[in-house]
């Protein structure tokens, strides 16, 4: 699905962090707005925009997902990468719907609990192998948690046309073998693509979900 049609379109990067995705959307041609609760992230996002020459097409501000400081019906697209699992989902999705224009689309990518895998993950061996305690190096914060089925119901109650796709079966193991900064598709991600394409009933075992909502 192609969402970008003209450089008049405005995108909101919901919980933009250091603005890496915001700059990608600016590179596509959108006018980009981004907010985050962290002043450091907003400062980095502004510096990156300046460094790559996007300061005119990007607007970064401090803000919270549960109470957005934008007028209603402002954005053609809202994107959120790894943000809903940090926030009050009901309030944040309400705000997202409020600031979207009618006919606008919101796309979120989030971690989600998967049957079997998370059972194993939460055993003593699992948490010994990959600790869950907050850690700056591993980007684990106190407020985060994986989405669960109830969260999807909460979102669907606000946005009945919610559609979802799940990814990340074998490519979970990438976290053991790959450098964090490498954004190319890994061999395991390619295998996941093939497996989930051929056997879509395995989707509920995927550890990442992409949520698409149209207002
Ligand atoms: C995992 S990071 C993702 C950042 C960005 N979307 C990215 O992918 O680079 C989660 C972000 O959520 C922000 N955050 C946490 N709680 C928030 C809230 N209530 N409102 C806005 N941002 C929040 C954090 O400061 C952090 O930048």
């Amino acid at each position: 699905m192609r969402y970008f049609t003209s450089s008049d379109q405005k995108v909101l990067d919901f919980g933009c962090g250091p603005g890496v995705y915001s700059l990608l959307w600016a590179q596509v041609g959108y006018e980009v707005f981004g907010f985050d609760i962290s002043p450091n992230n907003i400062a980095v996002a502004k510096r990156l925009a300046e460094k790559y020459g996007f300061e005119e097409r990007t607007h970064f501000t401090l803000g919270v997902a549960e109470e957005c400081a934008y007028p209603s019906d402002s954005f053609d697209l809202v994107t959120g990468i790894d943000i809903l699992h940090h926030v009050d989902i009901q309030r944040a999705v309400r705000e997202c719907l409020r600031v979207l224009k009618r006919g606008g689309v919101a796309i979120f990518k989030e971690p989600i609990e998967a049957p079997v895998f998370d059972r194993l993950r939460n055993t003593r061996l699992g948490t010994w192998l990959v600790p869950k305690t907050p850690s700056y190096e591993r980007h684990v914060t106190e407020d985060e948690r994986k989405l669960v089925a109830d969260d999807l119901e909460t979102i669907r109650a606000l946005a009945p046309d919610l559609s979802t796709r799940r990814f990340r079966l074998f490519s979970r193991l990438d976290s053991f073998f790959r450098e964090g900064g490498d954004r190319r598709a890994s061999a395991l991600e390619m295998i996941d693509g093939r497996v989930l394409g051929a056997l879509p009933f395995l989707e509920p075992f995927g550890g990442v979900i992409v949520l698409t909502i149209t207002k």
Side-chain angles (χ1 to χ4, degrees):
M1 173 62 119
R2 191 187 158 94
Y3 296 106
F4 179 72
T5 51
S6 104
S7 56
D8 295 341
Q9 285 174 296
K10 293 189 168 74
V11 58
L12 175 62
D13 192 357
F14 213 80
C16 62
V20 174
Y21 292 97
S22 313
L23 291 199
L24 288 178
W25 312 155
Q27 207 170 19
V28 169
Y30 288 102
E31 182 174 7
V32 182
F33 295 73
F35 72 86
D36 198 279
I37 201 171
S38 152
N40 285 346
N41 277 343
I42 291 301
V44 173
K46 285 182 176 170
R47 276 210 302 278
L48 281 181
E50 230 176 87
K51 177 172 175 185
Y52 292 103
F54 287 114
E55 64 272 49
E56 307 245 307
R57 300 284 294 163
T58 54
H59 317 274
F60 295 108
T61 42
L62 260 188
V64 292
E66 294 84 353
E67 215 167 316
C68 293
Y70 305 97
S72 302
D73 306 307
S74 298
F75 297 102
D76 302 278
L77 185 64
V78 171
T79 60
I81 311 288
D82 297 332
I83 176 69
L84 292 180
H85 72 294
H86 286 278
V87 304
D88 178 327
I89 290 182
Q90 190 171 46
R91 290 178 60 200
V93 171
R94 260 200 203 118
E95 281 296 82
C96 162
L97 289 168
R98 182 183 67 74
V99 301
L100 257 186
K101 289 180 184 168
R102 188 143 302 279
V105 175
I107 303 172
F108 291 94
K109 173 242 157 199
E110 297 292 328
I112 186 163
E113 278 200 5
V116 184
F117 172 80
D118 277 286
R119 277 249 172 117
L120 294 171
R121 170 78 182 85
N122 292 326
T123 59
R124 266 205 210 166
L125 177 64
T127 49
W128 177 74
L129 283 171
V130 188
K132 280 190 161 184
T133 43
S135 148
Y136 184 75
E137 284 74 28
R138 284 181 289 107
H139 305 286
V140 180
T141 57
E142 262 167 20
D143 61 348
E144 72 179 64
R145 61 184 183 85
K146 289 184 181 180
L147 264 54
V148 295
D150 278 356
D151 295 319
L152 298 187
E153 287 319 303
T154 301
I155 298 169
R156 209 180 295 281
L158 297 166
D161 84 321
L162 169 71
S163 74
T164 62
R165 280 196 66 189
R166 286 174 74 151
F167 301 88
R168 215 159 165 82
L169 287 174
F170 305 111
S171 53
R172 289 189 164 93
L173 299 173
D174 279 341
S175 50
F176 292 108
F177 309 120
R178 283 191 107 202
E179 291 294 318
D182 191 348
R183 292 189 182 270
R184 290 167 303 175
S186 70
L188 289 176
E189 281 171 334
M190 309 278 260
I191 291 171
D192 279 353
R194 293 271 168 97
V195 171
L196 289 169
L199 307 170
F201 61 86
L202 290 179
E203 267 206 26
F205 295 96
V208 163
I209 192 163
V210 174
L211 310 160
T212 307
I213 298 169
T214 306
K215 180 167 169 185

